[in-house]
Coordinates of all heavy atoms in Angstrom, one line a residue:
M1 N 91.4 157.1 115.3 CA 91.4 155.9 114.6 C 90.3 155.0 115.3 O 90.1 155.0 116.5 CB 92.7 155.1 114.7 CG 92.7 153.9 113.9 SD 94.0 152.9 114.1 CE 95.4 153.0 113.5
K2 N 89.5 154.2 114.4 CA 88.5 153.4 114.9 C 89.0 152.3 115.8 O 90.1 151.7 115.5 CB 87.7 152.8 113.8 CG 86.9 153.9 113.0 CD 86.1 153.2 111.9 CE 85.3 154.2 111.1 NZ 84.6 153.6 110.0
T3 N 88.3 151.9 116.8 CA 88.7 150.7 117.6 C 88.0 149.5 117.0 O 87.0 149.5 116.3 CB 88.2 150.9 119.0 OG1 86.8 151.1 119.0 CG2 88.8 152.2 119.7
D4 N 88.6 148.4 117.3 CA 88.1 147.0 116.9 C 88.1 146.9 115.4 O 87.2 146.2 114.9 CB 86.8 146.7 117.5 CG 86.9 146.7 119.0 OD1 87.9 146.3 119.6 OD2 85.9 147.0 119.7
T5 N 89.0 147.5 114.6 CA 88.9 147.3 113.2 C 89.9 146.2 112.7 O 89.8 145.7 111.6 CB 89.3 148.6 112.4 OG1 90.6 149.0 112.9 CG2 88.3 149.7 112.7
H6 N 90.9 145.9 113.5 CA 91.8 144.9 113.2 C 91.4 143.5 113.6 O 90.7 143.4 114.7 CB 93.2 145.2 113.8 CG 93.8 146.4 113.3 ND1 94.4 146.5 112.0 CD2 93.9 147.7 113.8 CE1 94.8 147.7 111.8 NE2 94.6 148.5 112.9
P7 N 91.7 142.5 112.8 CA 91.2 141.1 113.2 C 92.0 140.7 114.5 O 93.1 141.2 114.8 CB 91.6 140.3 112.0 CG 92.6 141.0 111.3 CD 92.3 142.5 111.6
D8 N 91.5 139.7 115.1 CA 92.1 139.1 116.3 C 93.1 138.1 115.9 O 92.8 137.0 115.4 CB 91.0 138.4 117.2 CG 91.6 137.7 118.4 OD1 92.6 138.2 118.9 OD2 91.1 136.7 118.8
Y9 N 94.4 138.4 116.1 CA 95.5 137.5 115.8 C 95.8 136.6 117.1 O 95.8 137.2 118.2 CB 96.8 138.2 115.4 CG 96.8 138.7 114.0 CD1 96.5 140.1 113.8 CD2 97.0 137.9 113.0 CE1 96.5 140.6 112.5 CE2 96.9 138.4 111.7 CZ 96.7 139.7 111.5 OH 96.7 140.2 110.2
H10 N 95.9 135.3 116.9 CA 96.2 134.4 118.0 C 97.0 133.3 117.5 O 97.2 133.1 116.3 CB 94.9 133.9 118.6 CG 93.9 133.5 117.6 ND1 93.0 134.3 117.0 CD2 93.7 132.3 117.0 CE1 92.3 133.7 116.1 NE2 92.7 132.4 116.1
M11 N 97.6 132.5 118.4 CA 98.5 131.4 118.1 C 97.6 130.2 117.7 O 96.7 129.8 118.4 CB 99.4 131.0 119.2 CG 100.4 132.2 119.6 SD 101.5 132.6 118.2 CE 102.5 131.2 118.1
I12 N 97.9 129.5 116.6 CA 97.3 128.3 116.2 C 98.4 127.3 115.8 O 99.6 127.7 115.6 CB 96.3 128.4 115.0 CG1 97.1 128.8 113.7 CG2 95.2 129.4 115.3 CD1 96.2 128.7 112.4
K13 N 98.1 126.0 115.7 CA 99.0 125.0 115.2 C 98.6 124.6 113.8 O 97.4 124.5 113.5 CB 98.9 123.8 116.1 CG 99.5 124.1 117.5 CD 99.4 122.8 118.4 CE 99.8 123.2 119.8 NZ 99.7 122.0 120.7
V14 N 99.6 124.4 112.9 CA 99.3 124.0 111.5 C 99.9 122.6 111.4 O 101.1 122.5 111.6 CB 99.9 125.0 110.5 CG1 99.7 124.5 109.1 CG2 99.3 126.4 110.7
Q15 N 99.1 121.6 111.0 CA 99.6 120.3 110.8 C 99.8 120.0 109.3 O 98.8 120.1 108.5 CB 98.7 119.3 111.4 CG 99.2 117.9 111.3 CD 98.3 116.9 112.0 OE1 97.3 117.2 112.6 NE2 98.7 115.6 112.0
M16 N 101.0 119.7 108.9 CA 101.3 119.4 107.5 C 100.8 118.0 107.1 O 100.4 117.3 108.0 CB 102.8 119.6 107.2 CG 103.4 120.9 107.7 SD 103.0 122.2 106.6 CE 104.4 122.2 105.6
T17 N 100.8 117.7 105.8 CA 100.4 116.4 105.4 C 101.3 115.2 105.9 O 100.8 114.1 106.1 CB 100.3 116.3 103.9 OG1 101.6 116.6 103.3 CG2 99.2 117.2 103.3
D18 N 102.5 115.5 106.2 CA 103.4 114.5 106.7 C 103.4 114.3 108.2 O 104.1 113.6 108.8 CB 104.9 114.7 106.2 CG 105.5 116.0 106.7 OD1 104.7 116.8 107.4 OD2 106.6 116.3 106.4
G19 N 102.5 115.1 108.8 CA 102.4 115.0 110.3 C 103.1 116.0 111.1 O 102.9 116.1 112.3
T20 N 104.1 116.8 110.5 CA 104.8 117.8 111.2 C 103.8 118.9 111.6 O 102.9 119.2 110.9 CB 106.0 118.3 110.4 OG1 105.5 118.9 109.2 CG2 107.0 117.2 110.2
V21 N 104.1 119.5 112.8 CA 103.3 120.6 113.3 C 104.1 121.8 113.6 O 105.2 121.7 114.1 CB 102.5 120.1 114.6 CG1 101.7 121.2 115.2 CG2 101.7 118.9 114.3
F22 N 103.6 123.0 113.3 CA 104.3 124.2 113.7 C 103.3 125.2 114.2 O 102.1 125.1 113.8 CB 105.2 124.8 112.6 CG 104.4 125.3 111.4 CD1 104.0 126.6 111.3 CD2 104.1 124.5 110.3 CE1 103.4 127.1 110.2 CE2 103.4 124.9 109.2 CZ 103.1 126.3 109.2
E23 N 103.7 126.2 115.0 CA 102.8 127.2 115.5 C 103.0 128.5 114.7 O 104.2 128.8 114.4 CB 103.1 127.4 117.0 CG 102.6 126.2 117.8 CD 102.6 126.5 119.3 OE1 102.4 127.7 119.7 OE2 102.8 125.6 120.1
T24 N 102.0 129.2 114.5 CA 102.0 130.5 113.9 C 100.9 131.4 114.4 O 99.9 130.9 115.0 CB 102.0 130.4 112.3 OG1 102.2 131.6 111.7 CG2 100.6 129.8 111.9
R25 N 100.9 132.6 114.0 CA 99.9 133.5 114.4 C 98.9 133.6 113.2 O 99.3 133.7 112.1 CB 100.4 134.9 114.7 CG 101.1 135.0 116.0 CD 101.8 136.3 116.3 NE 101.1 137.4 115.9 CZ 100.5 138.3 116.7 NH1 100.5 138.1 118.0 NH2 99.8 139.3 116.3
S26 N 97.6 133.6 113.5 CA 96.6 133.7 112.4 C 95.3 134.2 112.9 O 95.1 134.4 114.1 CB 96.4 132.2 111.9 OG 95.4 132.2 110.9
T27 N 94.4 134.6 111.9 CA 93.1 135.0 112.3 C 92.1 133.8 112.1 O 90.9 133.9 112.5 CB 92.6 136.1 111.3 OG1 92.7 135.6 110.0 CG2 93.5 137.3 111.5
W28 N 92.6 132.7 111.7 CA 91.8 131.5 111.5 C 91.5 130.8 112.8 O 92.3 130.7 113.7 CB 92.5 130.4 110.6 CG 91.7 129.2 110.4 CD1 90.8 129.0 109.4 CD2 91.8 128.0 111.1 NE1 90.3 127.7 109.5 CE2 90.9 127.1 110.5 CE3 92.5 127.6 112.2 CZ2 90.7 125.8 111.0 CZ3 92.3 126.3 112.7 CH2 91.4 125.4 112.1
G29 N 90.2 130.4 113.0 CA 89.9 129.6 114.2 C 90.0 130.4 115.5 O 89.8 131.7 115.5
S30 N 90.3 129.7 116.5 CA 90.5 130.4 117.8 C 91.8 129.9 118.4 O 92.4 129.0 117.9 CB 89.3 130.2 118.7 OG 89.1 128.8 118.9
E31 N 92.2 130.5 119.5 CA 93.4 130.3 120.2 C 93.6 128.8 120.4 O 92.7 128.1 121.0 CB 93.5 131.0 121.5 CG 94.8 130.8 122.3 CD 95.9 131.7 121.8 OE1 95.6 132.8 121.2 OE2 97.1 131.3 122.0
G32 N 94.7 128.2 120.0 CA 95.0 126.8 120.2 C 94.5 125.8 119.3 O 94.7 124.6 119.3
D33 N 93.6 126.2 118.3 CA 93.1 125.3 117.3 C 94.2 124.7 116.4 O 95.3 125.3 116.2 CB 92.0 126.0 116.4 CG 90.7 126.2 117.1 OD1 90.5 125.6 118.2 OD2 89.9 126.9 116.5
T34 N 93.9 123.6 115.7 CA 94.9 123.0 114.8 C 94.3 123.0 113.4 O 93.2 122.4 113.2 CB 95.2 121.5 115.2 OG1 95.8 121.6 116.5 CG2 96.2 120.9 114.3
L35 N 95.0 123.6 112.5 CA 94.6 123.6 111.1 C 95.3 122.5 110.4 O 96.5 122.4 110.3 CB 95.0 125.0 110.4 CG 94.8 125.1 109.0 CD1 93.3 125.0 108.6 CD2 95.4 126.4 108.5
Q36 N 94.5 121.5 109.8 CA 95.1 120.4 109.1 C 95.1 120.6 107.6 O 94.0 120.8 107.0 CB 94.4 119.1 109.5 CG 94.5 118.7 110.9 CD 93.8 117.4 111.2 OE1 92.9 117.0 110.5 NE2 94.1 116.9 112.4
L37 N 96.3 120.6 107.0 CA 96.4 121.0 105.6 C 96.2 119.7 104.7 O 96.6 118.6 105.1 CB 97.7 121.5 105.3 CG 98.1 122.9 106.0 CD1 99.5 123.3 105.6 CD2 97.1 123.9 105.6
D38 N 95.4 119.8 103.6 CA 95.3 118.8 102.7 C 96.4 118.8 101.7 O 96.8 117.7 101.2 CB 93.9 118.9 101.9 CG 92.7 118.7 102.8 OD1 92.9 118.0 103.8 OD2 91.7 119.3 102.6
I39 N 96.9 120.0 101.3 CA 97.9 120.1 100.3 C 98.9 121.1 100.9 O 98.6 122.1 101.5 CB 97.4 120.7 99.0 CG1 96.4 119.7 98.4 CG2 98.5 121.0 98.1 CD1 95.7 120.3 97.2
D40 N 100.2 120.8 100.8 CA 101.2 121.7 101.3 C 102.5 121.6 100.5 O 102.5 120.8 99.6 CB 101.6 121.4 102.8 CG 102.1 120.0 103.0 OD1 102.6 119.4 102.1 OD2 102.1 119.6 104.2
P41 N 103.5 122.4 100.7 CA 104.7 122.4 99.8 C 105.4 121.1 99.8 O 106.2 120.8 98.8 CB 105.5 123.5 100.4 CG 104.6 124.4 101.1 CD 103.5 123.6 101.6
T42 N 105.2 120.2 100.8 CA 105.9 118.9 100.7 C 105.3 117.9 99.9 O 105.8 116.9 99.5 CB 106.1 118.4 102.2 OG1 104.8 118.1 102.7 CG2 106.9 119.3 103.1
S43 N 104.0 118.1 99.5 CA 103.3 117.1 98.7 C 102.7 117.7 97.4 O 102.3 116.9 96.5 CB 102.1 116.6 99.5 OG 101.1 117.6 99.8
H44 N 102.7 119.0 97.2 CA 102.0 119.5 96.0 C 103.0 119.5 94.8 O 104.2 119.9 94.9 CB 101.6 120.9 96.2 CG 100.6 121.4 95.2 ND1 101.1 121.9 94.0 CD2 99.3 121.4 95.1 CE1 100.0 122.3 93.2 NE2 98.9 122.0 93.9
P45 N 102.6 119.0 93.6 CA 103.5 118.9 92.5 C 104.1 120.3 92.0 O 105.2 120.3 91.4 CB 102.6 118.4 91.3 CG 101.5 117.8 92.0 CD 101.3 118.4 93.3
A46 N 103.4 121.4 92.3 CA 104.0 122.7 91.9 C 105.3 122.9 92.6 O 106.2 123.6 92.1 CB 103.0 123.8 92.2
W47 N 105.5 122.4 93.9 CA 106.7 122.7 94.6 C 107.6 121.5 94.5 O 108.8 121.6 94.7 CB 106.4 122.9 96.1 CG 105.7 124.3 96.3 CD1 106.4 125.5 96.2 CD2 104.4 124.5 96.6 NE1 105.5 126.5 96.5 CE2 104.2 125.9 96.8 CE3 103.3 123.7 96.8 CZ2 103.0 126.5 97.1 CZ3 102.1 124.3 97.2 CH2 102.0 125.7 97.3
T48 N 107.1 120.3 94.3 CA 108.0 119.1 94.3 C 108.5 118.7 93.0 O 109.4 117.9 92.8 CB 107.3 117.9 94.9 OG1 106.1 117.6 94.1 CG2 106.8 118.1 96.3
G49 N 108.0 119.4 91.9 CA 108.4 119.0 90.5 C 107.5 118.1 89.9 O 107.4 118.0 88.7
G50 N 106.7 117.3 90.6 CA 105.7 116.4 90.1 C 106.3 115.3 89.3 O 107.5 115.1 89.1
N51 N 105.4 114.5 88.7 CA 105.7 113.3 87.9 C 105.4 113.6 86.4 O 105.4 112.7 85.6 CB 105.0 112.1 88.4 CG 105.4 111.7 89.8 OD1 106.4 112.2 90.3 ND2 104.6 110.9 90.5
Q52 N 105.0 114.8 86.1 CA 104.6 115.1 84.8 C 105.7 115.3 83.9 O 106.8 115.8 84.2 CB 103.7 116.4 84.8 CG 102.5 116.4 85.6 CD 101.8 117.7 85.7 OE1 102.3 118.7 85.1 NE2 100.7 117.8 86.4
R53 N 105.5 114.8 82.6 CA 106.5 115.1 81.6 C 105.9 116.0 80.5 O 104.7 115.8 80.2 CB 106.9 113.8 80.9 CG 107.7 112.8 81.8 CD 108.2 111.7 81.1 NE 107.1 111.0 80.4 CZ 107.3 110.0 79.5 NH1 108.5 109.6 79.3 NH2 106.3 109.4 79.0
L54 N 106.7 116.9 80.1 CA 106.2 117.9 79.1 C 106.5 117.3 77.7 O 107.6 117.0 77.4 CB 106.8 119.2 79.2 CG 106.5 120.0 80.5 CD1 107.3 121.3 80.6 CD2 105.1 120.2 80.7
L55 N 105.4 117.1 76.9 CA 105.6 116.6 75.6 C 105.2 117.7 74.6 O 104.2 118.3 74.7 CB 104.7 115.4 75.3 CG 104.9 114.2 76.3 CD1 103.8 113.2 76.0 CD2 106.2 113.6 76.1
D56 N 106.1 117.9 73.6 CA 105.8 119.0 72.6 C 104.9 118.4 71.6 O 105.4 117.6 70.7 CB 107.1 119.5 72.0 CG 106.9 120.7 71.2 OD1 105.7 121.2 71.1 OD2 107.8 121.1 70.5
Q57 N 103.7 118.7 71.6 CA 102.7 118.2 70.6 C 102.4 119.3 69.6 O 101.4 119.3 69.0 CB 101.4 117.8 71.3 CG 101.6 116.7 72.4 CD 101.7 115.4 71.7 OE1 101.2 115.1 70.6 NE2 102.5 114.5 72.4
G58 N 103.4 120.1 69.3 CA 103.2 121.2 68.3 C 102.5 122.4 69.1 O 101.3 122.4 69.3
G59 N 103.3 123.3 69.5 CA 102.9 124.4 70.3 C 102.2 125.4 69.5 O 101.9 125.2 68.3
Q60 N 101.9 126.6 70.1 CA 101.2 127.6 69.4 C 102.0 128.2 68.2 O 101.4 128.5 67.2 CB 101.0 128.8 70.4 CG 100.0 128.4 71.5 CD 99.7 129.6 72.4 OE1 100.3 130.6 72.3 NE2 98.8 129.4 73.4
V61 N 103.3 128.3 68.3 CA 104.1 128.8 67.2 C 104.0 127.8 66.0 O 103.8 128.2 64.9 CB 105.5 129.1 67.6 CG1 106.4 129.4 66.4 CG2 105.6 130.1 68.7
A62 N 104.1 126.5 66.3 CA 104.0 125.5 65.3 C 102.7 125.5 64.6 O 102.6 125.4 63.4 CB 104.4 124.1 65.8
R63 N 101.6 125.7 65.4 CA 100.3 125.7 64.8 C 100.1 127.0 63.9 O 99.5 127.0 62.9 CB 99.2 125.7 65.9 CG 99.0 124.3 66.4 CD 97.9 124.2 67.4 NE 98.4 125.1 68.5 CZ 97.8 125.0 69.7 NH1 96.8 124.3 70.0 NH2 98.3 125.8 70.7
F64 N 100.6 128.1 64.4 CA 100.6 129.4 63.7 C 101.3 129.2 62.3 O 100.7 129.6 61.3 CB 101.2 130.5 64.5 CG 101.1 131.8 63.7 CD1 100.0 132.6 63.8 CD2 102.2 132.3 63.0 CE1 100.0 133.8 63.1 CE2 102.2 133.5 62.3 CZ 101.1 134.2 62.4
N65 N 102.5 128.7 62.4 CA 103.3 128.5 61.1 C 102.6 127.5 60.2 O 102.6 127.7 59.0 CB 104.7 128.0 61.4 CG 105.5 129.1 62.1 OD1 105.2 130.3 61.8 ND2 106.5 128.8 62.8
K66 N 101.9 126.5 60.7 CA 101.2 125.6 59.9 C 100.0 126.3 59.2 O 99.8 126.0 58.0 CB 100.7 124.4 60.7 CG 100.0 123.3 59.9 CD 99.5 122.2 60.8 CE 98.8 121.2 60.1 NZ 98.3 120.1 61.0
R67 N 99.3 127.1 59.9 CA 98.2 127.8 59.3 C 98.6 129.0 58.4 O 98.0 129.2 57.3 CB 97.3 128.3 60.4 CG 96.6 127.2 61.2 CD 95.7 127.8 62.3 NE 94.6 128.5 61.8 CZ 93.8 129.2 62.6 NH1 94.0 129.3 63.9 NH2 92.8 129.9 62.0
F68 N 99.5 129.8 58.8 CA 99.9 131.0 58.1 C 101.3 131.0 57.5 O 101.8 132.1 57.2 CB 99.6 132.2 59.0 CG 98.3 132.3 59.6 CD1 98.1 132.0 61.0 CD2 97.2 132.6 58.8 CE1 96.8 132.0 61.5 CE2 95.9 132.6 59.4 CZ 95.7 132.4 60.7
G69 N 101.9 129.9 57.4 CA 103.3 129.9 57.0 C 103.5 130.3 55.6 O 104.6 130.8 55.2
G70 N 102.5 130.2 54.7 CA 102.6 130.5 53.3 C 102.5 132.0 53.0 O 102.7 132.5 51.9
L71 N 102.0 132.8 54.0 CA 101.8 134.2 53.8 C 103.1 135.0 53.9 O 104.0 134.6 54.7 CB 100.8 134.7 54.9 CG 99.4 134.2 54.9 CD1 98.7 134.8 56.1 CD2 98.7 134.5 53.6
S72 N 103.2 136.0 53.1 CA 104.4 136.9 53.2 C 103.9 138.3 53.3 O 102.9 138.7 52.7 CB 105.3 136.7 52.0 OG 104.6 137.2 50.8
L73 N 104.6 139.0 54.1 CA 104.2 140.4 54.4 C 105.0 141.4 53.5 O 104.6 142.6 53.4 CB 104.5 140.8 55.8 CG 103.7 139.9 56.8 CD1 104.1 140.3 58.3 CD2 102.2 140.2 56.7
G74 N 106.0 140.9 52.8 CA 106.8 141.8 51.9 C 106.1 142.0 50.6 O 105.3 141.3 50.2
K75 N 106.6 143.1 49.9 CA 106.1 143.3 48.5 C 106.7 142.4 47.5 O 107.9 142.0 47.7 CB 106.4 144.8 48.1 CG 105.6 145.8 48.9 CD 105.9 147.2 48.4 CE 105.1 148.2 49.2 NZ 105.4 149.6 48.7
K76 N 106.0 142.0 46.5 CA 106.6 141.1 45.5 C 107.0 141.9 44.3 O 106.6 142.9 43.9 CB 105.5 140.1 45.0 CG 105.2 139.1 46.1 CD 104.2 138.1 45.6 CE 104.0 137.1 46.7 NZ 103.1 136.0 46.3

């Protein structure tokens, strides 16, 4: 097996947006560096549910039926 093919894993600190810090092993940076996150699961709408409301403005099925609703596939 070849030598020096695996990356160097070392301990770093990860700082979340709310200020909490945890330690993990990573290939990022060097030993003891701190990675400061701009977006994390405590602040991103994908994980928190967000403030968005879904409004049904006529989805794809409604648009399809509007365009092709008069067509019939059966024999007359």
Side-chain angles (χ1 to χ4, degrees):
M1 188 192 276
K2 293 182 181 179
T3 59
D4 299 327
T5 58
H6 295 285
D8 176 36
Y9 285 102
H10 46 270
M11 295 300 289
I12 65 165
K13 294 178 183 177
V14 178
Q15 183 176 1
M16 307 285 265
T17 57
D18 64 356
T20 58
V21 177
F22 67 92
E23 288 190 31
T24 187
R25 289 173 39 106
S26 176
T27 59
W28 180 86
S30 56
E31 181 81 26
D33 284 351
T34 301
L35 174 63
Q36 295 181 345
L37 299 179
D38 295 330
I39 298 174
D40 63 18
T42 61
S43 66
H44 194 277
W47 288 288
T48 61
N51 298 341
Q52 299 175 359
R53 292 188 304 173
L54 297 176
L55 301 175
D56 188 8
Q57 299 285 331
Q60 291 182 355
V61 174
R63 284 185 294 197
F64 178 84
N65 288 334
K66 183 178 177 183
R67 291 177 69 188
F68 304 108
L71 296 178
S72 65
L73 299 175
K75 293 182 181 181
K76 291 185 178 181

